[in-house]
Each structure stands twice: as structure tokens, then as C-alpha cells.
């Protein structure tokens, strides 16, 4: 059985601080140790900002990987040889395991427990610690935080949020913001790692999640509140983006809801 090197986060608040931190002596030593460990046949596991140590060590090349949603666009920018799956909580690709936001470390450890000691042990630990494994972190994304310092994308996010349920078309949004659709798409892609329509859907998803978990509105009325004619479209969005149903999201426990919802250092 392979030895697993579990890499902790490096405690940063933004991409600029992350890159400066990676140049520190302790991080450079960690990067060399990670590369040697994998080259020697070991497994390596990291979540949140620690995934960037794996990238610096060269062990993500050609693999699928995830990281915290607010750093995923930066990973995609600097790691063109990595398939960044920003919506995933957990990615397992050969000897490399990566997980999403800071508390996804628990999902990572539960996966390792299940793989090494079986479902009974992993499920027992999950119940005792009130944990549950998730497949997607898209449902926890706060769209306004995805702007990554881009004022144009921040304005776009605010405009869409305030316009719900009647969101203007992409062409209308571009005209309001005094840019071309192509420029808007490029800025959104650079800041968030997604297309303009996907960003709008993410904002709808965030509002729907809030209404489902914090109001008694019927599912049809929640759908109408985020701009859908009926609940079918909302169900399709939730199934595609969050891997759940409106009823499932409404039933999500108060313990689970905050875990990925805000930007945590990691």
C-alpha cells in the first residue's frame, strides 16, 4: 500500500499572496519533498491552496485536479497542462488526490479512509464527526467573490443579482457595461474561469440556494424568483451544477451549508 503524503494548506487570502508564499524557503522545501515522494511511488493529497504546491512540484501535469473555487481560475491560468475541474469537491487521478475549499480536507480524508479501511470505517467516522461527502462545490460558490478584483466583472455580478428574476441578455449586459460581448466574455473567463452565461447561471443558483434554505417559498415560486418559468428548469440547473434537487438542497443541514460558502484561508 502506497504511503500518502497529506499536504496542509499554506494560509493565503488571494492569488498574489499565494505566489509570494510559494517562493518562501519552507514552501520550496515542501515542493521538493512532494516531487520526490511521488517519484518514489507514493501518493500525495492536498486541498485548497496546497494544490498549488503540487502544481509547483510538477505532479499535476496531464492530470485532473481541483482546488478551492476562488483560486481555481488562477490554477487554470498558470497550469495549462492540468484539467482543472473547479466544480468538483474531490478529484482522484492516479497517485494524486486534490480537493476543493479548506473544509474539503475532510472529504479527502474520508475518501482515504474508505479506500484503505473500507466503507464501514469511513461511514462511522462521517457520522461521529457530523460530516458528509459531497461531489460538487458549485452549490457553495458566492458569485460576487469570483470577480477576483476585476471591477467590470464585479459590476456585472451586481447587475445580474439586482436584476433577478428578469436578467438582461448577454448583449444587453455588454451594452450597459460599455464593452463588446467578446471583451465581456474574455474578462469573465479570466476572472472566474467560466463563460458569461455560466456566471449568470451561478448567480441564479446562489439565489435559489438561499431561498430554498432560508424561506418557505414553494419550489415553483423559487424558480420564478430566479428567472425560470417553472420548476423543471430549476431542477435541471441544480442537478447539473450541484448534483442535487431543490428538495435535497432545502434539506441540507445547517452544519453543511457554511462549509464552502465563504472564502476561507487554506
Amino acid at each position: 500500500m502506497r504511503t500518502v503524503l497529506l499536504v496542509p494548506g499554506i494560509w493565503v487570502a488571494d492569488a498574489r499572496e499565494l505566489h509570494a508564499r510559494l517562493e518562501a524557503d519552507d514552501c520550496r522545501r515542501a515542493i521538493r519533498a512532494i516531487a520526490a515522494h511521488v517519484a518514489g511511488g507514493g501518493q500525495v493529497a492536498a486541498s485548497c491552496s496546497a494544490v498549488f504546491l503540487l502544481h509547483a512540484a510538477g505532479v499535476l501535469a496531464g492530470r485532473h485536479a481541483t482546488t478551492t473555487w476562488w483560486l481555481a481560475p488562477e490554477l487554470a491560468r498558470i497550469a495549462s497542462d492540468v484539467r482543472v475541474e473547479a466544480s468538483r469537491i474531490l478529484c482522484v487521478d492516479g497517485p494524486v488526490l486534490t480537493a476543493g475549499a479548506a473544509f474539503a480536507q475532510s472529504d479527502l480524508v474520508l475518501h482515504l479512509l474508505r479506500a484503505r479501511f473500507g466503507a464501514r470505517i469511513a461511514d462511522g467516522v462521517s457520522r461521529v464527526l457530523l460530516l458528509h461527502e459531497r461531489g460538487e462545490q458549485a452549490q457553495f460558490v458566492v458569485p460576487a467573490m469570483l470577480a477576483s478584483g476585476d471591477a467590470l466583472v464585479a459590476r456585472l455580478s451586481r447587475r445580474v443579482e439586482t436584476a433577478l428574476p428578469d436578467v438582461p441578455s448577454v448583449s444587453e449586459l455588454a451594452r450597459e457595461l460599455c464593452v463588446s460581448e467578446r471583451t465581456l466574455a474574455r474578462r469573465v473567463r479570466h476572472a472566474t474561469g467560466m463563460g458569461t452565461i455560466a456566471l449568470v447561471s451561478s448567480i441564479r443558483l446562489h439565489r435559489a440556494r438561499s431561498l430554498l434554505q432560508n424561506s418557505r417559498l414553494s419550489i415553483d415560486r423559487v424558480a420564478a424568483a430566479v428567472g425560470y418559468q417553472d420548476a423543471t428548469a430549476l431542477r435541471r440547473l441544480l442537478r447539473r451544477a450541484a448534483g442535487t434537487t431543490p428538495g435535497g438542497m432545502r434539506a441540507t443541514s445547517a452544519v453543511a451549508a457554511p462549509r464552502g460558502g465563504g472564502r476561507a484561508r487554506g
Side-chain angles (χ1 to χ4, degrees), residues 137-219:
Q137 59 181 340
Q139 62 177 304
F140 301 112
V141 169
V142 180
M145 295 179 68
L146 282 172
S148 301
D150 189 307
L152 177 68
V153 179
R155 287 170 57 204
L156 172 65
S157 296
R158 287 194 298 270
R159 176 69 178 96
V160 173
E161 287 178 317
T162 57
L164 285 172
D166 301 314
V167 178
S169 67
V170 172
S171 60
E172 291 172 318
L173 289 168
R175 282 197 298 272
E176 286 185 24
L177 295 169
C178 301
V179 295
S180 68
E181 290 183 53
R182 179 176 295 182
T183 296
L184 184 63
R186 176 175 54 80
R187 295 276 291 271
V188 170
R189 177 72 63 180
H190 184 266
T192 71
M194 64 180 71
T196 307
I197 292 175
L199 177 61
V200 172
S201 293
S202 180
I203 293 169
R204 292 188 196 276
L205 175 66
H206 180 66
R207 177 70 63 83
R209 172 176 173 252
S210 177
L211 291 173
L212 287 167
Q213 294 184 335
N214 299 297
S215 79
R216 295 184 179 181
L217 291 176
S218 70
I219 293 172

Side-chain angles (χ1 to χ4, degrees), residues 118-138:
R120 184 176 180 181
I121 294 294
D123 292 345
V125 170
S126 179
R127 286 194 299 272
V128 169
L129 297 181
L130 301 180
L131 301 173
H132 73 293
E133 291 174 280
R134 300 153 293 166
E136 303 286 340
Q137 59 181 340

